[in-house]
Amino acid sequence: MSAAGLTSSIAEIKGAKKVPSFCYMCPWTCPSEVYVKDGKIVYVKGLDGLPNFGSRCAKGAASFQVVEDPDRLKYPMKRISPKGTEPKFERISWDEAFTLIAEKLAEVKEKYGPETVVSLYHHDPNSVFLQILLTQLYGTPNFYGHTAGCEQARRMATLTVFGHVFPMLDFEDSRYIMLWGINPFEAIEALWENRALCNALGKGAKLVVVDPKFTQTAEHADEWIPIKPGTDGAMALAMCYTIIEENLYDKPFVDEWTSGFDEFSGHLKEKGYSPEWAEKITDVPADTIRRLARELSINKPAIVETFKGPGNYTNGADACRSIYLLNVLTGNIDGPGNHNHKDRAPVGPTVIIPEEAMAKPGKPPLHVAMGYPLAPDLPTGALPKAVIQGDPYPVKFLFLHSLNIVMSDPNTELIKEMFRKLDFAVTIDLFMSETALESDLVLPDASFYERAEIRQGLYKAPQAILCQPVVDPVGESKPMYEIVKGIARKMGYGEFFAYETWEDWAEVVVQGLPVSLEEFRKKGIWTGENRYYKFKENGFPTPSKKIEIWSKNFEENGLNPLPEFREHSVIPDDDYPLQLITSKLSMHSNILTQNNPYLMEIVGENWVEINPVDARKYGVEDGDMVVLESPHGSAVIRVRVIEGVKPGVACARHDHGFGRWSPYLSVGYGKGTHLNSLIDSQIDPVCGGNAYNERKVQIGRAHV
Ligand SMILES: Nc1nc2c(c(=O)[nH]1)N[C@H]1C(S)=C(S)[C@@H](COP(=O)(O)OP(=O)(O)OC[C@H]3O[C@@H](n4cnc5c(=O)[nH]c(N)nc54)[C@H](O)[C@@H]3O)O[C@H]1N2
Ligand SMILES: Nc1nc2c(c(=O)[nH]1)N[C@H]1C(S)=C(S)[C@@H](COP(=O)(O)OP(=O)(O)OC[C@H]3O[C@@H](n4cnc5c(=O)[nH]c(N)nc54)[C@H](O)[C@@H]3O)O[C@H]1N2
Ligand code: SF4
Ligand SMILES: [Mo]
C-alpha cells in the first residue's frame, strides 16, 4: 500500500469522511479525495483510479491551509478612503453590497452604455453565473478570462491551426518528445500528464527541451537546447524547412488533412528560413537544428509542445504556430502518443435565459473594437488605454473574479492608474489582494472546499469533474452562485436565478451526462471513452475542415496567413544587457500560495538566476541582493549564480506572486520581490498576449 493509501485508510479508521472533489490550487483541477472530520479537513490526496491514480503535488497537499487561513476575507468590504490614498475599508452587509452593485450597474448603463462594464476572471471558478447575468441580461458583450496574461499565443495557434482550444498531451506512448518553453516538472500541468511523461521516459522515449534555462524538466531530458530568448519561431521554421527540403514529411497525412502546404513550402524557401539562417538568430547550431528535424521525422509517435516560454513575446503567436506545424508535417496528430484533441463532456448550462429576455449588445466586444478580432481573449495589456483614454471606447466598471491583475499583468503602475480612473471596481476574492486594495467593493468568495462546481476535466477522454462543498464557508463568504443571485435580485432578474441550493442547478448541468447527480456525487468524476483520430469522422473544426497551415481567418483579418519570423521588440543593449525572462516555481501557484505557511516554509522568497559569466562581468556573487534596473523601473532581489541559464539571460523565478504588499497577508507580506513593474505593456500584435519575457535589465549589487 502506498503512503497516501495508508494515510487515507488511517483517516477513515479514525472516523474521517471521504468526499470526492477537485483541487483548485492551480488551473489544472486534479480530482481529489478530501477527508473531513468534525467540520475540518484532516487530509487531502489525489483521487484513486483514473486519471491521475492518486497523484498529488505539494501545493495540492497544502491546499487545506487556504481554507483555514486566518487572513481570509470574511465580510463584504467597502472602500472608504479616496482613490490614490491609503486604502481603508469598512465592513458592510451583503444586502448593502448587492444594492450598491445593482445601483452602480444601472447608473453606468444609463450614463455610458452596458458595454462599459467589463468582467474578468482567471480560470472560471463558477464565473459562468456572472457571465449569464452580465452578458445575457444586463447586456455587456465584455466578459473575459485572463488568457492574455497566460497562454494567449499558444491558444491562438492551436485554434488557428487545428480549431481546437486546448490540446492534451498523451505522452504515454510517445517515442520522441520535444518541449519548447514548457516546464511540466515545475510549472505543473495536469498530474496525469506528468505521470505519463515519466512512464514514456521510463520506456525509453527521447526528450528534447528547448529553453534558455536548464529546468527541472531539462534535467530529465536527453538533450537541452539553450535557445536565445524570443527566437523559437526561427528554429521551428528552420526545422520545417529541413523536413520539407529533405522530403521527410508525412506526405499522405499532409495531402489528406492539411491546407496550404504548397504555399508554406514556397514561403519557407522564399524567406530563406534555412538552418544556417536560424543559427544566426537562435544561437542553435544549424547541424543541431537539421539533426533534430530528422530525428523528429523518423521517431513516431511524437509530441512537440509549447506553452508560455515562446508565447510570452511580441512574436509569440507565430512562434507557437510554427512549433505546432512540426506535429502536422510529421503526421503526429491525435493518435496515441500525440497531441490529443480531447472531446468535451456533455455538461449543460447552469441557467437558461429565454430568448425574449436576452439583451442585445449594441457595441462590438472590446477585443474586436481594439483591433484583435481573432484574439481568443481580451488583450488586457490594452485595457488601461480603454479606461484611461476611452480608446477604442470607454470602460467605466470592472468586475474582477479570482484574479489579481494589479500583480499579474505587466506595468504595475499603469494598472494601478487604471483603477484610479474607473467609476467602480468590484473584486471577488478569498483574500484582500493587491487588486482588492484598488477596488471600491470587495466580496468574500467561498473557497473550492466550501462551494460546488461542475466543470470539464483536463483529461484526454471527455471528463466531467465535481467540486463539492466539504466544509462550511468561513465568515460570511458566499459561493459565486449565491453572490450572483443576490445581485440579480436587486437588478430585477431574480426569477432567472431561482435555485435554492447548489444541487438545484447541478441537476440541470448533469442532465446530459449518463450518470445521476447522486452517483456523480459519490464518485466526483465521470470519464467517457477516449477516442483517437477523431478528425477522421468530421474533419477539423476550422473553416476548411483541414489543419490550416495557411490560415483563411488570418488572411481575412489582414494578418499573414503563413507563420513568419519577426524579432521581438525589447532586445538587450549596452545599457540593459540582460534579457529578463520569467519561470514558475514548483512550490508556488501564481498569486495564491504566498500566504501558505507550508509552502512558504519550503520556498519563502523568489530570486533571479544568472550565469557565472555574467556574474563575473557585473560583479555580483551567488546569494547577493542585487538591483535589477530596466528602462521602466528597478527592484531589489536575491541572485543565484548557476550554470544552467544561458549567458545574457536573467531568469526570474516566479516573479509575479512575490513581493506582496497587501498588509492583510500576515505570512506573504513583503517576502521576495515583484518584478512586473519592470515591464512595459507591449503585447503581441497578432494575438494580443502579454510579453512577460520582454524585459531588458542591468544588474548590480544592491547596497542594503
Ligand atoms: N507549480 C506551478 N505550476 C503551475 C503554475 C504555477 O504558478 N506554479 N501556473 C500554471 C499556469 S497558470 C500556467 S499558464 C502554466 C505555465 O506553464 P509553463 O509555460 O510551462 O511555465 P513557465 O515557467 O511560465 O514558462 C516555461 C518556460 O519558458 C521558458 N522560456 C522563457 N523564454 C523562453 C524562450 O524564448 N524560448 C523558450 N523555448 N523558452 C523560454 C522559461 O525558462 C520557462 O522554463 O503553469 C501552470 N502550472
Ligand atoms: N511576471 C510574470 N507574470 C505573470 C506570469 C509569469 O509567469 N510571470 N504568469 C502569468 C500567468 S500564466 C497567469 S495564469 C497569471 C495568473 O494571475 P491571475 O490571472 O491574476 O490569477 P491567479 O494568480 O490565479 O489568482 C489571483 C487571485 O485569485 C484569488 N483566488 C484564488 N482562488 C480563488 C477562488 O476560489 N475564488 C476567488 N474569488 N478568488 C480566488 C487569489 O487570492 C488571488 O488574489 O499571471 C500571469 N503573470
Ligand atoms: S497540479 Fe494543480 S490542481 Fe493538481 S494537485 Fe497540484 S495544485 Fe492541485
Ligand atoms: Mo497561466
Side-chain angles (χ1 to χ4, degrees):
M1 185 184 264
S2 66
L6 184 63
T7 317
S8 52
S9 304
I10 294 170
E12 274 188 295
I13 291 164
K14 289 191 166 177
K17 187 173 156 233
K18 175 171 97 178
V19 187
S21 193
F22 64 72
C23 173
Y24 183 67
M25 289 292 277
C26 90
W28 265 264
T29 50
C30 297
S32 304
E33 290 173 8
V34 189
Y35 292 82
V36 209
K37 194 180 171 193
D38 302 330
K40 270 189 83 124
I41 297 167
V42 292
Y43 183 54
V44 199
K45 70 184 272 289
L47 188 78
D48 271 337
L50 272 177
N52 57 349
F53 306 99
S55 306
R56 184 83 332 178
C57 80
K59 305 181 300 302
S63 57
F64 70 96
Q65 291 189 326
V66 171
V67 190
E68 294 173 2
D69 194 323
D71 297 338
R72 283 271 305 273
L73 279 168
K74 297 186 187 67
Y75 315 104
M77 304 288 277
K78 185 179 149 192
R79 187 175 170 125
I80 49 169
S81 57
K83 290 184 185 186
T85 65
E86 194 196 330
K88 290 207 178 72
F89 290 86
E90 72 177 13
R91 176 180 169 180
I92 59 170
S93 70
W94 275 107
D95 193 64
E96 287 170 299
F98 293 147
T99 306
L100 183 59
I101 295 173
E103 279 174 8
K104 282 284 168 193
L105 282 172
E107 185 188 313
V108 166
K109 189 173 186 170
E110 168 76 28
K111 264 191 177 155
Y112 311 107
E115 73 285 349
T116 63
V117 175
V118 174
S119 189
L120 294 172
Y121 64 85
H122 178 215
H123 201 54
D124 186 17
N126 269 348
S127 297
V128 61
F129 293 100
L130 189 59
Q131 175 172 20
I132 291 163
L133 176 67
L134 291 180
T135 60
Q136 299 185 13
L137 295 167
Y138 179 75
T140 176
N142 294 321
F143 192 91
Y144 291 104
H146 196 202
T147 319
C150 182
E151 48 116 24
Q152 183 100 329
R154 171 178 113 140
R155 186 159 309 183
M156 184 154 186
T158 173
L159 278 169
T160 308
V161 178
F162 308 119
H164 194 279
V165 65
F166 200 86
M168 297 285 100
L169 306 175
D170 190 18
F171 288 123
E172 187 76 39
D173 296 311
S174 306
R175 299 293 304 150
Y176 198 87
I177 300 163
M178 215 178 167
L179 299 179
W180 302 59
I182 167 171
N183 181 17
F185 289 154
E186 291 177 271
I188 297 167
E189 301 206 13
L191 288 176
W192 72 268
E193 284 184 350
N194 274 8
R195 189 179 263 266
L197 175 55
C198 293
N199 291 347
L201 296 179
K203 289 187 271 181
K206 176 163 181 176
L207 173 62
V208 179
V209 166
V210 184
D211 199 306
K213 154 105 176 96
F214 187 67
T215 59
Q216 280 181 31
T217 309
E219 283 174 27
H220 295 273
D222 298 272
E223 203 166 340
W224 171 45
I225 309 293
I227 194 166
K228 192 168 167 189
T231 67
D232 298 71
M235 178 168 160
L237 287 165
M239 284 180 69
C240 291
Y241 179 102
T242 304
I243 291 169
I244 295 175
E245 189 191 37
E246 299 188 5
N247 246 320
L248 296 170
Y249 64 97
D250 183 337
K251 192 166 178 344
F253 181 84
V254 166
D255 285 350
E256 187 170 2
W257 295 111
T258 70
S259 80
F261 175 78
D262 291 342
E263 289 86 343
F264 183 53
S265 70
H267 163 77
L268 294 172
K269 278 212 198 83
E270 197 183 299
K271 291 271 187 178
Y273 287 154
S274 67
E276 283 68 24
W277 162 81
E279 173 175 328
K280 291 193 209 97
I281 296 168
T282 59
D283 286 354
V284 183
D287 285 351
T288 306
I289 297 176
R290 214 169 252 122
R291 175 175 52 78
L292 291 173
R294 290 173 188 150
E295 282 179 14
L296 171 66
S297 313
I298 54 176
N299 286 294
K300 283 189 175 186
I303 288 186
V304 184
E305 184 53 303
T306 181
F307 215 68
K308 278 179 58 235
N312 284 174
Y313 292 88
T314 49
N315 59 9
D318 269 9
C320 293
R321 260 209 298 169
S322 309
I323 291 168
Y324 278 156
L325 289 183
L326 291 167
N327 294 294
V328 176
L329 295 180
T330 54
N332 281 298
I333 301 294
D334 206 29
N338 293 156
H339 238 218
N340 174 281
H341 294 178
K342 82 179 252 89
D343 278 330
R344 292 170 74 81
V347 169
T350 45
V351 173
I352 298 159
I353 306 296
E355 191 58 38
E356 60 279 10
M358 287 259 195
K360 310 265 175 305
K363 285 247 172 106
L366 196 51
H367 72 282
V368 176
M370 281 172 172
Y372 293 89
L374 297 182
D377 211 334
L378 182 71
T380 50
L383 185 59
K385 205 165 147 202
V387 176
I388 298 167
Q389 279 131 268
D391 180 8
Y393 58 68
V395 169
K396 299 288 182 184
F397 186 134
L398 279 187
F399 263 105
L400 303 127
H401 178 216
S402 195
L403 93 166
N404 193 350
I405 196 168
V406 170
M407 291 193 82
S408 56
D409 255 22
N411 204 338
T412 316
E413 278 313 309
L414 185 68
I415 302 280
K416 282 190 189 168
E417 190 191 332
M418 168 178 93
F419 275 85
R420 290 196 285 272
K421 294 282 157 51
L422 283 167
D423 276 29
F424 205 67
V426 182
T427 287
I428 306 167
D429 206 294
L430 305 177
F431 296 95
M432 185 62 87
S433 69
E434 289 67 16
T435 298
L437 288 180
E438 303 299 325
S439 304
D440 300 275
L441 186 60
V442 183
L443 303 179
D445 198 0
S447 75
F448 60 93
Y449 288 133
E450 301 160 331
R451 66 176 186 241
E453 188 183 352
I454 297 169
R455 64 188 303 145
Q456 298 286 335
L458 291 174
Y459 184 55
K460 60 185 170 184
Q463 187 178 69
I465 52 174
L466 169 69
C467 177
Q468 39 188 342
V470 286
V471 292
D472 292 336
V474 302
E476 290 182 4
S477 64
K478 280 186 194 291
M480 210 46 194
Y481 41 93
E482 294 294 338
I483 296 177
V484 174
K485 182 164 73 176
I487 303 171
R489 282 189 177 161
K490 297 283 181 192
M491 292 169 77
Y493 298 125
E495 64 186 288
F496 303 113
F497 297 86
Y499 42 78
E500 283 302 321
T501 63
W502 73 266
E503 288 92 340
D504 291 348
W505 57 259
E507 285 284 4
V508 181
V509 176
V510 301
Q511 267 167 18
L513 290 179
V515 286
S516 65
L517 181 60
E518 202 187 335
E519 205 182 328
F520 194 36
R521 288 191 71 170
K522 274 193 209 130
K523 299 203 174 122
I525 188 165
W526 171 83
T527 306
E529 188 201 345
N530 180 43
R531 299 182 306 138
Y532 289 112
Y533 305 115
K534 296 170 277 291
F535 58 87
K536 291 189 177 169
E537 281 162 35
N538 299 313
F540 290 85
T542 56
S544 61
K545 297 255 181 274
K546 299 209 168 178
I547 292 175
E548 299 215 339
I549 301 177
W550 183 97
S551 165
K552 193 169 163 51
N553 277 341
F554 269 44
E555 191 194 41
E556 283 172 4
N557 287 282
L559 298 167
N560 189 343
L562 292 163
E564 60 185 4
F565 179 74
R566 266 182 297 110
E567 278 291 1
H568 60 277
S569 66
V570 181
I571 312 270
D573 52 33
D574 289 348
D575 293 335
Y576 303 100
L578 298 173
Q579 183 95 38
L580 178 62
I581 62 169
T582 185
S583 120
K584 304 208 180 230
L585 285 171
S586 61
M587 290 296 144
H588 283 277
S589 180
N590 290 334
I591 316 179
L592 174 64
T593 50
Q594 296 74 29
N595 212 48
N596 186 295
Y598 279 2
L599 299 171
M600 287 299 276
E601 197 175 321
I602 304 169
V603 179
E605 64 173 17
N606 60 342
W607 62 90
V608 65
E609 291 166 350
I610 58 167
N611 189 278
V613 171
D614 289 318
R616 278 192 294 278
K617 216 192 258 177
Y618 306 114
V620 301
E621 286 180 19
D622 186 53
D624 278 352
M625 294 305 286
V626 293
V627 183
L628 292 180
E629 195 173 326
S630 81
H632 217 69
S634 69
V636 175
I637 188 166
R638 194 174 307 283
V639 70
R640 292 203 178 158
V641 179
I642 58 163
E643 295 285 344
V645 61
K646 193 176 161 55
V649 176
C651 181
R653 308 305 313 275
H654 215 104
D655 53 322
H656 56 312
F658 283 86
R660 301 199 59 172
W661 59 88
S662 168
Y664 294 82
L665 303 170
S666 52
V667 178
Y669 178 78
K671 305 264 170 63
T673 308
H674 179 243
L675 297 178
N676 272 344
S677 48
L678 302 190
I679 323 180
D680 207 342
S681 331
Q682 68 271 345
I683 56 180
D684 180 344
V686 176
C687 69
N690 292 339
Y692 292 104
N693 289 317
E694 291 201 19
R695 286 173 289 195
K696 54 178 183 179
V697 292
Q698 54 166 277
I699 190 169
R701 189 175 286 165
H703 300 285
V704 286

